[in-house]
Amino acid sequence: MLATQSEGDDVAGHALKAIILNCTLKRSPAVSNTEALASKVVEWWDRMDVVSEIVRVVDYNVPFGVSSYEGDGDEWPLILDKVKAADIVVLATPIWFGLRSSVAQMVIERLDGTYTETNDVGQYPLYNKVGGVIITGNEDGAHSAAESTLFNLSHLGLTIPPNADTYWVGDAGPGPSYIEAHGEDHAYTKRTTRWMAHNTVHLARMLKANPIPAEGNTFAEEDEHAPHIG
Amino acid sequence: MLATQSEGDDVAGHALKAIILNCTLKRSPAVSNTEALASKVVEWWDRMDVVSEIVRVVDYNVPFGVSSYEGDGDEWPLILDKVKAADIVVLATPIWFGLRSSVAQMVIERLDGTYTETNDVGQYPLYNKVGGVIITGNEDGAHSAAESTLFNLSHLGLTIPPNADTYWVGDAGPGPSYIEAHGEDHAYTKRTTRWMAHNTVHLARMLKANPIPAEGNTFAEEDEHAPHIG
Amino acid sequence: MLATQSEGDDVAGHALKAIILNCTLKRSPAVSNTEALASKVVEWWDRMDVVSEIVRVVDYNVPFGVSSYEGDGDEWPLILDKVKAADIVVLATPIWFGLRSSVAQMVIERLDGTYTETNDVGQYPLYNKVGGVIITGNEDGAHSAAESTLFNLSHLGLTIPPNADTYWVGDAGPGPSYIEAHGEDHAYTKRTTRWMAHNTVHLARMLKANPIPAEGNTFAEEDEHAPHIG
Amino acid sequence: MLATQSEGDDVAGHALKAIILNCTLKRSPAVSNTEALASKVVEWWDRMDVVSEIVRVVDYNVPFGVSSYEGDGDEWPLILDKVKAADIVVLATPIWFGLRSSVAQMVIERLDGTYTETNDVGQYPLYNKVGGVIITGNEDGAHSAAESTLFNLSHLGLTIPPNADTYWVGDAGPGPSYIEAHGEDHAYTKRTTRWMAHNTVHLARMLKANPIPAEGNTFAEEDEHAPHIG
């Protein structure tokens, strides 16, 4: 039983934390289809004792840039702190013109700043976190948005579980979005939501119990590694 | 020491197996730049007691299709058996016109056939394997090839570790390929090769010791899952 | 009236020729959804006096490679001749794993061979032709397949008209394909089919009447162009 | 002589106008590598009597959104007016994480608003304009940025000439950018800059002399078109 394991985690004070970065273009309180699908993932996590939060990025003042702090008024550090505190980091994005949103791209660009840091053992600071992606669009582009996002996350140090994506898209051309189209009843999206919610947790538990060894994946080893055996 | 852990694995009879599917367009014995970079990954694996094999797909008779057996003369089943026996599955591909090669695309299409099977606990048969990607091109397209390939592998059930890609590309436009350009001395590619080789092994060991629970990620649970708690 | 213009073309012996390269994975006589949508484009072209042909690439013996002739038995030259004789060149492809098919990728790779030739005025041999794309999939990936294919064609020398793509995809996940889903009645796909069929013809007529000047776009100018004014 | 044609255009009051939307993340007066390459395109256009302007988008207050006006303080309308007045529209973008920048994505999203308008003959308002792309990055992603951008522009109504892209990228991994790496001397980038600058002008002249007929590419024809012949 996952619930039991989860309770076990709780006993040890290790309840998992998850953050979903909702990259809709619309500020609160506008309705976000992407948030509607994200909330389905949260429903599963709630049952698994994962403490989660959905952050709508455009509600914060996040300027364009590739560092972790872009000067006065930059609220990205508030979001980055939440990312660093999480065991599971999920980008949720609408599709525009076949790609993830400009806000999602901006979030990835800002995460570039983490490349200049390391964790205690010399790896990128986002190591031992698990990544996933949630996508909604009215027609097409889910694969593209998932491909780029999961790859970027893996490059930033996150581990990508099997079936780490869930998405809803309608058929070709303009049309209703997730909420209006009753995407919540769409069998495929329900299944991928379930799989994604569970697999992010499965891997996060593994990595919490057994972090990735700092062997072969740090900058510090660079010099010694030329002749290094093993 | 990784070597020691690896010996420990050996004692238990659990030496890891890895397969690299080289998706060059050129049949043996033509020189493959992609194989040259793949061999660097193998060097690391050799030091970590991983038993590995590089398979040049075009040396086999693999017809186009999306099933695991496309009829008389189809040699894909020989390759698929190797994939199923491996703990680490890596696609190695050249870049053509900014994308992974037609052979790499064909390999992914043939893996579609695995979606019709399950493992003993009801997950996709490639669960608990680790995926990675090796890419060479003379100029551009590595991100695209890595994005699509790692995402496809994750969808097929593989886990993608952090920094699961290594690639070499030269600057804009036609130019020398990996071997001629002495890509083996390129600092960035050496680093990503090391990181990729190690992280595929780190995750494969974890998954061998602790397979992904069959909870929330099987078809069998579909019916019960509507009201399912946890 | 287009028909009138087209008759005018006929009088002058300039009826346009179009070729559609159907990149389905299935050999004839297997039913191809992609061909079904392609035939809708042909219907429009028929009304505009465009002489067209649909070539199913897998019915030919086309080996992997990046030259225009890969040795004994290579039937690509038969297809390439048709491409060179056409005013409009359209790739038609199914989507697999979010990308154009391996056959489509192979076709683009084989067109690499044309980069080594020039037309009479020193441009790439596919200059003054018009490109387009036709895509079918059961769920997602049309933008990706269109993006890569139209860009590749533009790089090979073709001109891409506005709205040069038509596609049909269903909603998220496995499901019926174009024919079974009655894609022929889908309003958006009908519209894009009409627009694509017409715009490829509009531009082809323009380029036939006024070819792209060999100014600033040939290799021969390379030396003189450093100090060249205008 | 292009110069002569161009003078002819001037006599008739038809000098071509071009706009380059520089989608760097950095506000003025920060140095922009993308602008440095864009200025090379402008050099060619200057010799061809094309009146051009480089607009650095982040210097304007452009909020996220998909309409042509997002409310008080939105300066996008100022940019959109320039786009509508231009014969040639080029997006210039840096590459971040293998894709075009968030600013470039935002610009495309804002252009979504033009879909709700038509020109005098019922086509999308950006018909009869020519599109191109300029890309700089330190290593990889030019094809991806060009693919998505040129496809999006074609969908918005622009015509894409052959070789409508120019880019500079260095070899794999972090490294110097265009200016520091002396990309201005890179033979391939110089050639593609020349070809792109010329072909955008060649096609713009054609479309100015012979606009795309409003036949088969308008919404107004939708009803009549079912039974329409030709």
Side-chain angles (χ1 to χ4, degrees), chain D:
Chain D
M1 280 284 291
L2 288 182
T4 310
Q5 290 186 12
S6 174
E7 283 163 21
D9 287 344
D10 286 346
V11 170
H14 292 306
L16 292 175
K17 288 183 193 168
I19 185 171
I20 297 176
L21 300 170
N22 180 9
C23 298
T24 175
L25 304 182
K26 296 177 289 188
R27 294 185 188 215
S28 298
V31 172
S32 160
N33 284 279
T34 304
E35 189 157 316
L37 180 52
S39 72
K40 297 295 176 183
V41 174
V42 169
E43 281 182 27
W44 281 110
W45 283 343
D46 284 346
R47 298 174 188 185
M48 299 162 81
D49 292 331
V50 174
V51 177
S52 65
E53 182 183 8
I54 300 177
V55 172
R56 194 185 287 211
V57 176
V58 286
D59 287 346
Y60 293 74
N61 178 34
V62 179
F64 297 114
V66 291
S67 76
S68 293
Y69 183 59
E70 290 283 325
D72 273 5
D74 182 1
E75 295 182 335
W76 172 250
L78 300 175
I79 298 175
L80 183 57
D81 282 348
K82 295 172 189 282
V83 168
K84 287 184 174 174
D87 303 292
I88 299 170
V89 180
V90 170
L91 244 77
T93 182
I95 303 163
W96 288 107
F97 283 81
L99 299 188
R100 64 185 177 199
S101 74
S102 52
V103 177
Q105 176 68 17
M106 181 182 69
V107 163
I108 292 290
E109 287 164 358
R110 293 304 303 270
L111 287 171
D112 198 79
T114 67
Y115 280 143
T116 62
E117 301 173 57
T118 56
N119 64 14
D120 289 344
V121 294
Q123 300 160 327
Y124 284 145
L126 305 188
Y127 260 60
N128 298 313
K129 300 183 191 303
V130 172
V133 72
I134 296 166
I135 301 160
T136 61
N138 51 4
E139 58 137 2
D140 185 87
H143 278 68
S144 171
E147 287 172 9
S148 52
T149 301
L150 293 178
F151 176 62
N152 296 160
L153 292 178
S154 82
H155 230 266
L156 286 158
L158 290 90
T159 295
I160 310 302
N163 307 116
D165 62 286
T166 186
Y167 62 87
W168 184 86
V169 289
D171 50 19
S177 295
Y178 175 78
I179 296 172
E180 191 187 350
H182 300 289
E184 66 180 335
D185 298 326
H186 190 59
Y188 178 76
T189 303
K190 285 170 68 178
R191 182 192 308 147
T192 54
T193 298
R194 179 165 54 93
W195 290 20
M196 180 272 209
H198 282 78
N199 284 347
T200 47
V201 172
H202 291 324
L203 265 290
R205 285 179 178 152
M206 276 187 214
L207 292 173
K208 196 140 201 170
N210 295 289
I212 299 172
E215 295 169 354
N217 49 33
T218 70
F219 285 91
E221 301 160 294
E222 200 103 327
D223 294 332
E224 63 175 299
H225 251 285
H228 181 65
I229 304 299

Side-chain angles (χ1 to χ4, degrees), chain C:
Chain C
M1 280 283 291
L2 287 182
T4 310
Q5 289 185 12
S6 173
E7 282 164 20
D9 288 346
D10 285 347
V11 169
H14 291 306
L16 291 175
K17 289 184 192 168
I19 184 170
I20 297 176
L21 300 170
N22 179 9
C23 298
T24 175
L25 304 181
K26 297 177 288 188
R27 296 183 188 220
S28 298
V31 171
S32 160
N33 284 279
T34 304
E35 189 155 317
L37 179 53
S39 72
K40 297 295 177 182
V41 175
V42 168
E43 281 182 28
W44 280 110
W45 283 342
D46 284 347
R47 298 174 188 186
M48 300 161 80
D49 293 332
V50 174
V51 177
S52 65
E53 182 182 9
I54 300 177
V55 172
R56 194 184 288 212
V57 175
V58 287
D59 288 346
Y60 293 74
N61 177 35
V62 179
F64 297 114
V66 290
S67 77
S68 293
Y69 183 59
E70 291 282 324
D72 273 6
D74 182 1
E75 295 181 335
W76 172 251
L78 300 175
I79 298 175
L80 184 56
D81 282 348
K82 295 172 189 282
V83 168
K84 287 184 175 174
D87 302 294
I88 299 169
V89 180
V90 171
L91 245 76
T93 181
I95 301 164
W96 288 107
F97 284 81
L99 298 188
R100 64 184 177 200
S101 75
S102 53
V103 176
Q105 175 68 19
M106 182 182 70
V107 163
I108 292 290
E109 288 164 356
R110 292 303 303 269
L111 287 171
D112 197 80
T114 67
Y115 279 143
T116 62
E117 302 173 57
T118 56
N119 65 12
D120 290 343
V121 294
Q123 300 160 327
Y124 284 145
L126 304 188
Y127 261 59
N128 297 313
K129 300 183 189 304
V130 172
V133 71
I134 295 165
I135 301 160
T136 61
N138 50 4
E139 57 136 3
D140 185 87
H143 277 68
S144 173
E147 287 173 9
S148 52
T149 301
L150 293 178
F151 176 62
N152 296 160
L153 292 178
S154 82
H155 230 267
L156 287 158
L158 289 91
T159 295
I160 310 303
N163 307 116
D165 63 285
T166 187
Y167 61 87
W168 183 87
V169 289
D171 50 18
S177 295
Y178 175 79
I179 296 171
E180 191 186 350
H182 301 288
E184 66 180 336
D185 298 326
H186 189 60
Y188 178 77
T189 303
K190 285 171 69 179
R191 181 193 309 148
T192 55
T193 298
R194 179 165 55 93
W195 290 20
M196 179 271 211
H198 282 77
N199 284 347
T200 48
V201 172
H202 290 325
L203 264 290
R205 284 178 178 154
M206 276 188 216
L207 292 173
K208 196 142 199 168
N210 295 290
I212 298 172
E215 293 168 356
N217 50 32
T218 71
F219 285 91
E221 300 161 293
E222 198 102 333
D223 294 332
E224 63 174 299
H225 249 284
H228 181 65
I229 305 298

